[in-house]
Amino acid sequence: MLEVTGIPTFEDIEKVYPSEERLNQGPTVIMECFQNIPCNPCYTACRTGAIKPFEDINHLPTVDHDLCNGCSLCVSNCPGLAIVVLDMTYSEDQALLKIPYEFLPLPEVGQWVKGLDREGKVVCDVKVVKVIDSKALDKTPIISLALDKQYAKVVRNIRLEE
Ligand code: SF4
Ligand code: SF4
């Protein structure tokens, strides 16, 4: 399905997720990068060594989730918008999801927006809790969203209008 539609399957996604144990320890990166293309800014952006050196620039990134602190530098540097950071420890019933967002206008802190799945379907309402506008640095802005934990692995984008 990934090759045909560009949308990863459940099996594709499971391969890049850290363990539940790691997810429950704090924020960590999720790299949904599935295409072998010559690209490595995620690696060059990472300051903790969590993203391993590429033996071949066409290889997919490999991550040591135990070295990732969830800083999201790789999120804003990825040209493929393939990376998010997920924090399942945000609160008892809510997760914090940091996503890259290329559209304008940017949402505002405190705004409720529609959470979309990987196919662009609305799945829930999510609250914007932080906006990092890094366009001036030629990087992708990052939107931090608070959302019900049951949608944390499903939501990958937002829509501002009804
Ligand atoms: S979130 Fe930060 S620490 Fe984690 S992989 Fe990305 S750049 Fe490295
Ligand atoms: S920067 Fe993004 S698209 Fe490029 S290899 Fe890293 S995760 Fe994949």
Side-chain angles (χ1 to χ4, degrees):
M1 183 169 178
L2 178 63
E3 292 76 15
V4 178
T5 64
I7 300 168
T9 62
F10 179 75
E11 289 74 24
D12 295 322
I13 294 160
E14 281 294 299
K15 284 182 201 160
V16 296
Y17 258 80
S19 66
E20 287 299 317
E21 182 185 10
R22 173 62 189 86
L23 282 174
N24 291 327
Q25 288 171 351
T28 190
V29 74
I30 315 288
M31 307 192 74
E32 298 189 11
C33 179
F34 300 109
Q35 292 189 318
N36 295 94
I37 52 173
C39 181
N40 74 349
C42 52
Y43 164 66
T44 56
C46 182
R47 295 175 185 167
T48 69
I51 300 175
K52 297 303 171 194
F54 286 57
E55 282 183 28
D56 181 321
I57 198 167
N58 292 293
H59 285 175
L60 301 180
T62 52
V63 187
D64 182 341
H65 289 100
D66 290 332
L67 294 179
C68 175
N69 60 16
C71 71
S72 74
L73 281 172
C74 57
V75 178
S76 59
N77 278 275
C78 171
L81 310 183
I83 311 175
V84 299
V85 166
L86 178 59
D87 183 1
M88 293 296 275
T89 66
Y90 182 61
S91 78
E92 195 166 325
D93 56 354
Q94 292 208 307
L96 186 75
L97 180 68
K98 298 180 187 177
I99 63 165
Y101 188 77
E102 284 198 316
F103 301 107
L104 291 173
L106 293 174
E108 294 179 6
V109 172
Q111 186 174 353
W112 283 90
V113 297
K114 298 295 178 190
L116 311 179
D117 67 12
R118 293 172 182 81
E119 297 181 46
K121 294 181 191 155
V122 175
V123 289
C124 62
D125 291 327
V126 298
K127 187 175 184 181
V128 176
V129 296
K130 190 172 180 181
V131 176
I132 300 177
D133 182 0
S134 28
K135 271 195 184 305
L137 302 172
D138 204 22
K139 309 293 182 197
T140 307
I142 298 174
I143 312 300
S144 296
L145 308 164
L147 72 171
D148 192 299
K149 281 185 179 177
Q150 67 175 308
Y151 300 118
K153 291 185 179 180
V154 180
V155 170
R156 279 300 169 272
N157 206 342
I158 55 171
R159 197 177 73 206
L160 272 52
E161 74 277 14
E162 281 299 313

